[in-house]
Amino acid sequence: MRDLNYELKQLMKRNRDGSHATQANRHRMLQQVANQLHELGYKKMHASDLKGRHVQALVERWTREEIAPASIKNRMSALRWWAEKVGRSSVIARENAHYGIPDRTYVTNKSKAQTVSEEALSKVKDPFVAMSLELQSAFGLRREEAIKFVPSYADKGDLICLKASWTKGGREREIPIRNAKQREVLDRAHKLAGRGSLIPQSRTYIQHLKVYERHTANAGLSKMHGLRHEYAQTRYQEITDELAKERGLSSGWSAPAAGGPEKKKLSALQKSIDLDARAKVSLELGHERTQITSVYLGS
């Protein structure tokens, strides 16, 4: 292992900031950064050697490779973490705009929803990984939530309850069990996990996360966060339909990202339904701000 890769690995072992998922993502990004710096000609670099020219070289490479602004910003966060831990915070500009990194576009009316077919699932050879994917699809769970999921704790009959320690931001939440498909997925999760979680007893969370990433990649699956988008759009359709009928309309409608009307084209009554539906979807997804639903639903 090269000096820089090793030193960054040791730095992360000594500084376990954030959730397990945050730590795993930071580890992956910084090891990739170390490899890229070596490829860029910085072959004998140490962690304490970080300078502005290294950051600039990396950003220029990522720009040439047309990496998405959101991904570049995540990598910049990892770089700033590294710089802080070695007392080199001043070598990185405080604002990403300094490097010409464009603002992240949060809201579009282009759907990012994804589904996982039975054929695709059959290619995932680890049963625990496959079950986590099914839970992501059925309940709109984040990856970490679906991996740490303990069916015997979560299943409350008519809803599932997620422990705070599983969730982003440490907020416990409840999600309704609405249909037979969800119940069938949960029943199989019980059978597979028993009294435990969807992490095999022989693995830690970090180890199993790597297994998840490898098996999904081998099955040709990517951007599994799109399963949350699909869940959100399905729920929006269901909730607007329920609320519309309660308030004297014939039916609800699809989210803008799924081909439905934009918010500005809704009537006053429809706008009130839209707001209530987004609030409910937001709670089920585990977001505090209703505005974030625009990322999933469009606007």
Side-chain angles (χ1 to χ4, degrees):
M1 181 179 289
R2 301 184 192 106
D3 288 343
L4 182 56
N5 293 78
Y6 176 77
E7 290 174 13
L8 288 174
K9 187 172 184 177
Q10 294 305 306
L11 193 66
M12 286 179 276
K13 281 186 176 181
R14 294 194 301 270
N15 298 276
R16 298 187 178 277
D17 306 348
S19 69
H20 289 304
T22 297
Q23 293 177 48
N25 288 334
R26 184 185 297 128
H27 180 274
R28 175 181 55 78
M29 284 188 281
L30 288 182
Q31 288 300 308
Q32 181 184 47
V33 161
N35 293 337
Q36 291 179 341
L37 285 167
H38 186 270
E39 293 166 4
L40 288 165
Y42 303 106
K43 299 184 184 299
K44 295 184 179 181
M45 186 173 171
H46 295 275
S48 59
D49 294 337
L50 183 64
K51 294 182 174 64
R53 68 172 182 270
H54 301 129
V55 178
Q56 189 65 46
L58 286 165
V59 173
E60 288 174 359
R61 172 177 174 152
W62 299 335
T63 302
R64 286 196 305 271
E65 293 175 349
E66 298 184 346
I67 304 299
S71 296
I72 294 178
K73 290 183 178 183
N74 288 336
R75 296 179 189 188
M76 291 298 291
S77 294
L79 284 177
R80 289 189 174 95
W81 180 91
W82 167 13
E84 178 193 350
K85 298 306 178 186
V86 297
R88 306 285 292 172
S89 295
S90 62
V91 306
I92 304 182
R94 294 171 63 88
E95 302 295 331
N96 288 325
H98 173 84
Y99 301 100
I101 301 169
D103 288 337
R104 188 186 310 222
T105 301
Y106 284 100
V107 180
T108 71
N109 282 343
K110 181 178 179 181
S111 179
K112 296 181 181 178
Q114 280 197 208
T115 59
V116 178
S117 66
E118 291 294 331
E119 181 182 1
L121 272 177
S122 70
K123 296 177 182 177
V124 178
K125 301 307 180 185
D126 186 293
F128 290 90
V129 174
M131 181 55 64
S132 289
L133 285 167
E134 290 196 73
L135 287 167
Q136 285 178 260
S137 178
F139 294 98
L141 304 186
R142 297 181 178 94
R143 180 178 65 181
E144 182 174 357
E145 295 165 349
I147 290 174
K148 292 181 176 179
F149 194 83
V150 180
S152 60
Y153 172 87
D155 188 355
K156 307 301 183 185
D158 60 347
L159 57 84
I160 61 169
C161 180
L162 304 184
K163 276 188 178 182
S165 59
W166 306 346
T167 67
K168 184 176 181 179
R171 293 183 295 274
E172 185 174 294
R173 76 177 189 276
E174 296 177 348
I175 303 172
I177 300 171
R178 313 176 328 274
N179 54 52
K181 174 62 178 175
Q182 289 176 313
R183 170 46 57 194
E184 189 266 336
V185 168
L186 276 175
D187 289 345
R188 286 192 287 107
H190 277 285
K191 187 174 180 181
L192 177 64
R195 302 296 298 175
S197 74
L198 290 177
I199 303 172
Q201 290 185 352
S202 60
R203 298 174 193 155
T204 65
Y205 170 74
I206 297 295
Q207 289 170 337
H208 189 58
L209 178 60
K210 292 178 181 177
V211 172
Y212 175 104
E213 290 173 341
R214 184 173 73 252
H215 279 273
T216 52
N218 289 344
L221 298 172
S222 63
K223 299 181 179 178
M224 291 296 94
H225 199 71
L227 297 175
R228 274 167 65 81
H229 288 255
E230 173 66 24
Y231 178 88
Q233 291 171 21
T234 297
R235 285 297 286 142
Y236 179 87
Q237 174 81 61
E238 292 176 351
I239 296 167
T240 58
D241 199 49
E242 293 169 4
L243 295 177
K245 290 174 180 176
E246 287 176 6
R247 300 178 191 183
L249 299 179
S250 59
S251 65
W253 52 90
S254 300
E262 296 178 4
K263 284 198 289 186
K264 63 185 179 183
K265 296 182 180 178
L266 300 178
S267 68
L269 177 56
Q270 287 174 321
K271 284 179 180 177
S272 72
I273 292 170
D274 169 82
L275 187 62
D276 290 344
R278 287 173 184 268
K280 196 164 185 177
V281 170
S282 182
L283 285 175
E284 292 183 20
L285 292 178
H287 287 292
E288 290 185 332
R289 295 178 297 116
T290 303
Q291 296 93 319
I292 201 68
T293 59
S294 295
V295 174
Y296 301 89
L297 303 174
S299 60

